[in-house]
Amino acid sequence: MHDLHVAVRHSEHVVNSMRSLAATKVIRQHGCDINKSIERSLLLLESPLKNVELTLELNELLPIWGNIGEFTQVWSNIVKNAIDSMSGKERKDSKLLIRSEMADDGIKVIIRDSGPGIPDNLIDKIFEPYITTKKEGESFGLGLGLSIVKKVINRYSGNIFVNSSEEGTEFIVFIPLGGTTNE
C-alpha cells in the first residue's frame, strides 16, 4: 500500500510538471503566500523527506501577486531533486535547509542540500529541458523539473541562481514584489 501511495504521488508530480510546462495562462491573485507554498510542497514530499534532516527557516514575507500552485510546483521540483541527490547509499548525513526572507524589493528563497553536487559538465545545462543528473535505475526523472522552475520564475520577472560543489548544492530564488510578465 505504501508503494502504491508513493507511485500515485510521483505520478501526480509528473502530471503537474507537464501541465505547468504547457500552461500559457495562469490565474494570479493578490495575497499569494510564498511560505504557504513552501509548506504545501513539503506536505507533498512528506514521505521522501523522512530520511532528511530538514531545517526550515520561514521568515515573515510580504504577500505577492501570484499563483500558489505555481510556487508549490517550483519548490517541489527543487526539493525533490535535492532529496534524490542525497538518497545515494554513500550519503549518510542528508541535510536540507529551506529559508525564506525579504531582500531588496523582493523575496529570496534559499534551498541548500548536502548532496554530492551537480557534475561540472551539467551545471550550465540544468535549466534546459530533458537534462537529468539521475543515474539509470536509481530514480525516475524526465529532466523537466528545473526547466519548469526556470519558466515559472521568469514569468514573475525573477531570477534563479545555483551554486554547487562536492559538499552540496544551493538554489537561490529571487522573486520581485511587483514583477510579472504576460507570458
Side-chain angles (χ1 to χ4, degrees), residues 12-175:
E12 179 183 30
H13 181 73
V14 170
V15 168
N16 287 337
S17 292
M18 295 300 289
R19 194 177 289 150
S20 248
L21 188 62
T24 55
K25 288 284 184 191
V26 177
I27 297 171
R28 294 190 177 128
Q29 53 194 0
H30 182 69
C32 180
D33 184 336
I34 294 298
N35 284 337
K36 186 175 280 190
S37 70
I38 293 170
E39 291 167 349
R40 283 186 180 182
S41 70
L42 295 177
L43 279 175
L44 289 172
L45 298 169
E46 184 177 18
S47 182
L49 276 168
K50 282 191 276 188
N51 298 321
V52 174
E53 181 185 322
L54 176 64
T55 302
L56 196 57
E57 299 174 3
L58 302 181
N59 294 292
E60 189 173 332
L61 304 175
L62 292 174
I64 65 166
W65 182 263
N67 180 289
I68 197 164
E70 282 187 306
F71 286 109
T72 300
Q73 188 67 39
V74 165
W75 316 131
S76 295
N77 282 327
I78 296 172
V79 171
K80 176 78 168 84
N81 284 351
I83 294 167
D84 288 348
S85 78
M86 296 184 292
S87 68
K89 292 180 178 143
E90 70 280 354
R91 304 302 295 180
K92 292 183 177 138
D93 297 329
S94 297
K95 295 180 181 175
L96 182 66
L97 164 74
I98 303 174
R99 180 174 55 236
S100 66
E101 58 192 42
M102 293 301 301
D104 298 330
D105 297 326
I107 293 171
K108 183 163 58 168
V109 176
I110 299 165
I111 301 175
R112 183 182 309 134
D113 68 55
S114 63
I118 299 168
D120 290 340
N121 64 325
L122 293 179
I123 194 77
D124 292 333
K125 300 176 185 178
I126 62 168
F127 295 111
E128 296 175 16
Y130 311 112
I131 299 296
T132 183
T133 60
K134 293 173 178 63
K135 294 174 180 69
E136 193 170 319
E138 194 177 272
S139 182
F140 176 75
L142 296 174
L144 295 174
L146 290 179
S147 65
I148 291 167
V149 166
K150 180 79 168 164
K151 183 176 180 179
V152 170
I153 297 305
N154 284 346
R155 285 182 186 163
Y156 287 88
S157 302
N159 290 306
I160 183 166
F161 306 97
V162 62
N163 300 309
S164 191
S165 71
E166 293 176 356
E167 283 81 46
T169 300
E170 175 182 70
F171 283 88
I172 301 167
V173 178
F174 177 78
I175 306 153

